[in-house]
Amino acid sequence: MSVSTLRLYAVLGLLGGAVAGAGCSVAQGATASGEQLYRACASCHGEAGAGDATFGAPRIAAMPRWYVASQLQRFKAGTRGRHFDDAEGLRMRAMAMQMGTQAEIDAVASYVASLPAGTSPAAVAGADPAVGQTKFAVCAACHGPKGEGNEALNAPPLAGMDDWYVARQLRKFQSGVRGAVKDDPIGAQMAGMALTVQPAEVDSVAAYVHALPR
Amino acid sequence: MISWFVPQASTFAADVDSLIFLILVIVGAWFLLAEAVLFWLILRFRKREGVRSKYVTGDVKSEKRWVSYPHYAVLVFDVVIVVAALRVWNDVKVTDPVPEETVRVVSQQWAWTFVHAGPDGRLDTADDIKTVDDLYVQQNRTYRFELHSKDVLHSFSVPAFRLKQDAVPGRMIAGWFKPTLAGDFDIQCAEICGIGHGLMPARIHVQTATAHQEWLREHGVMPALAANTGAAGQGGAR
Ligand SMILES: [Cu+2]
């Protein structure tokens, strides 16, 4: 940032500070609670974290804290959601930037993890559960035989995840929209695994994962 | 004066600033004069012992002049400002100089993405360079930009260029700029576009010819991503 731009921001900041100081109750420096921070997420993911397919926002309620925190970090760092063609990712990236500190990321991740679990209705049509089950054997190596996830392998739980979301992510991994950032072994690993699923089988895998009990 | 705060980094930046300065001088001079007259009148006709106040109807010609003469002056200066403004508007928004290169600017919730023509200088070819958040241009080169929006209204604002253009979904809006100053400048969204509006900052990197050629050489050929072969182009990726 150039010096003159900084100077402009300083002037604007002083003006804004004067206005904000007059009537604003949010104290600078105090860490907001996870519930407060979640308000930013709620506009797409919903108050209860049930998600909204229209916004491309998946159900996140009861996702493990470690996974939510790691994804927020990845969105902020640009290892996820910073691809030219990743419309949803670019949207989520801006939202993740709102979580300024690690403490805020942890707080909002804990709140998301505390939201009651649930499963959305199936949305993907034309899936073959038998094909999904066969293909899932590969996924089970990391994500667990019941799709329960494995933190040590950076593999999130998949059981009960929105089928449309799983299908979309698989396609993003396959096309390099997700998981193709340089020096990102985690993304690269999943991108490689995603290629084991044939294009025609993506929906079946997603449907199978969605049907797994939590 | 504006350039104390934001550098003038395009050919028309100084014209825009001069226009704003002209308006400031005209309006400012009249403001000072009007205030001076007001306070002089207050002082001159202040309450005095033995002097009765008088109701002024404004019928007398010598009194009416205090209103009508400034009124004529306002009209004259309005014309001056409108003529000056139209000249700048015509230069920035109406004339369409022959571009040396075209860039595509895509706005979306909540990011700016850019398509550079690449080494061949043409858009929609294999060597296009697609970036997120960072637009790379060459100093002293005339650019045409094609502005798109993927979702809602946004506004492509480059304060250092004194450039601002709304992006409208479903439309391609073209404009131009010619960067004159090498350096990195802010790109902002200047149209409320949702909850992440304030979180879509981008940068325009104005490079010298050599630096830009270097950048082109580095990024010109799309890196052959392993994941981009085989399964690419199935659609449904978004
Ligand atoms: Cu915007």
Side-chain angles (χ1 to χ4, degrees):
Chain A
M1 192 179 294
S2 67
V3 177
S4 50
T5 321
L6 272 174
R7 226 183 307 166
L8 175 68
Y9 285 171
V11 171
L12 292 177
L14 284 174
L15 288 172
V19 175
C24 190
S25 62
V26 178
Q28 191 73 33
T31 307
S33 73
E35 191 178 356
Q36 285 174 322
L37 290 165
Y38 185 77
R39 278 184 215 149
C41 323
S43 57
C44 292
H45 290 282
E47 290 294 337
D52 190 332
T54 3
F55 301 128
R59 174 181 285 275
I60 52 171
M63 290 271 254
R65 176 192 144 111
W66 71 265
Y67 183 68
V68 178
S70 79
Q71 293 309 299
L72 281 170
Q73 283 156 351
R74 290 168 65 78
F75 274 115
K76 273 186 79 171
T79 32
R80 183 176 174 189
R82 199 176 182 272
H83 188 280
F84 186 87
D85 288 320
D86 193 351
E88 298 89 2
L90 288 169
R91 214 180 296 142
M92 183 59 212
R93 193 172 70 106
M95 293 294 98
M97 283 180 199
Q98 289 202 25
M99 307 305 151
T101 61
Q102 187 58 44
E104 289 184 334
I105 288 180
D106 291 338
V108 80
S110 298
Y111 182 76
V112 169
S114 76
L115 291 168
T119 309
S120 313
V124 164
D128 183 345
V131 172
Q133 185 165 16
T134 333
K135 278 289 157 183
F136 187 73
V138 183
C139 321
C142 293
H143 291 279
K146 293 180 220 132
E148 69 271 31
N150 185 339
E151 182 178 353
L153 298 172
N154 297 305
L158 299 175
M161 219 180 222
D162 293 348
D163 50 0
W164 61 267
Y165 176 75
V166 173
R168 191 175 294 179
Q169 297 311 306
L170 275 172
R171 293 196 171 100
K172 281 187 184 179
F173 276 117
Q174 291 178 337
S175 59
V177 170
R178 188 176 166 188
V181 175
K182 242 177 82 181
D183 303 322
D184 172 32
I186 298 175
Q189 192 181 8
M190 182 59 212
M193 297 314 286
L195 288 176
T196 65
V197 181
Q198 292 304 305
E201 301 165 342
V202 167
D203 287 341
S204 298
V205 172
Y208 178 76
V209 161
H210 173 255
L212 285 171
R214 276 184 193 272
Chain B
M1 219 153 50
I2 301 166
S3 56
W4 295 349
F5 299 105
V6 189
Q8 297 171 331
S10 78
T11 45
F12 49 67
D15 298 338
V16 173
D17 286 1
S18 307
L19 178 63
I20 291 172
F21 188 70
L22 173 78
I23 295 171
L24 176 79
V25 166
I26 292 176
V27 174
W30 281 100
F31 171 75
L32 291 178
L33 187 67
E35 292 302 299
V37 169
L38 176 68
F39 281 102
W40 176 72
L41 288 174
I42 289 172
L43 206 70
R44 170 79 179 72
F45 297 103
R46 68 184 180 279
K47 185 185 172 193
R48 282 207 185 87
E49 274 313 315
V51 181
R52 279 182 67 83
S53 59
K54 184 175 87 175
Y55 182 68
V56 178
T57 56
D59 289 337
V60 189
K61 227 177 179 163
S62 66
E63 288 168 353
K64 261 203 301 196
R65 278 190 210 128
W66 287 89
V67 176
S68 53
Y69 284 11
H71 194 179
Y72 300 141
V74 165
L75 291 176
V76 170
F77 283 110
D78 265 358
V79 171
V80 172
I81 289 173
V82 166
V83 168
L86 281 178
R87 285 175 61 155
V88 175
W89 177 266
N90 185 60
D91 183 31
V92 179
K93 299 278 189 181
V94 181
T95 51
D96 197 7
V98 180
E100 289 165 271
E101 198 176 321
T102 303
V103 287
R104 189 169 296 143
V105 178
V106 182
S107 55
Q108 59 197 290
Q109 287 175 323
W110 289 284
W112 294 98
T113 52
F114 306 99
V115 187
H116 306 75
D120 71 351
R122 284 186 305 138
L123 279 177
D124 301 314
T125 51
D127 69 347
D128 285 1
I129 305 170
K130 296 177 172 183
T131 56
V132 177
D133 291 345
D134 295 287
L135 173 58
Y136 294 86
V137 294
Q138 186 178 319
Q139 189 184 2
N140 296 324
R141 200 167 157 85
T142 306
Y143 283 87
R144 171 187 150 92
F145 65 83
E146 295 182 351
L147 185 57
H148 297 262
S149 168
K150 278 193 183 170
D151 34 48
V152 298
L153 288 176
H154 297 273
S155 185
F156 179 61
S157 166
V158 187
F161 287 3
R162 309 296 187 270
L163 171 68
K164 191 184 281 174
Q165 177 60 57
D166 279 5
V168 181
R171 279 182 65 187
M172 187 280 282
I173 298 174
W176 72 280
F177 59 80
K178 185 174 182 179
T180 51
L181 209 64
D184 298 341
F185 306 103
D186 288 341
I187 295 172
Q188 298 164 334
C189 182
E191 182 71 61
I192 289 284
C193 59
I195 190 172
H197 166 67
L199 296 161
M200 48 186 292
R203 303 284 278 164
I204 183 162
H205 306 273
V206 181
Q207 304 171 306
T208 57
T210 28
H212 192 66
Q213 289 311 313
E214 181 65 29
W215 177 81
L216 275 178
R217 223 171 299 124
E218 237 174 83
H219 298 84
V221 184
M222 287 296 271
L225 293 167
N228 253 347
T229 55
Q234 296 170 9
R238 58 195 72 177

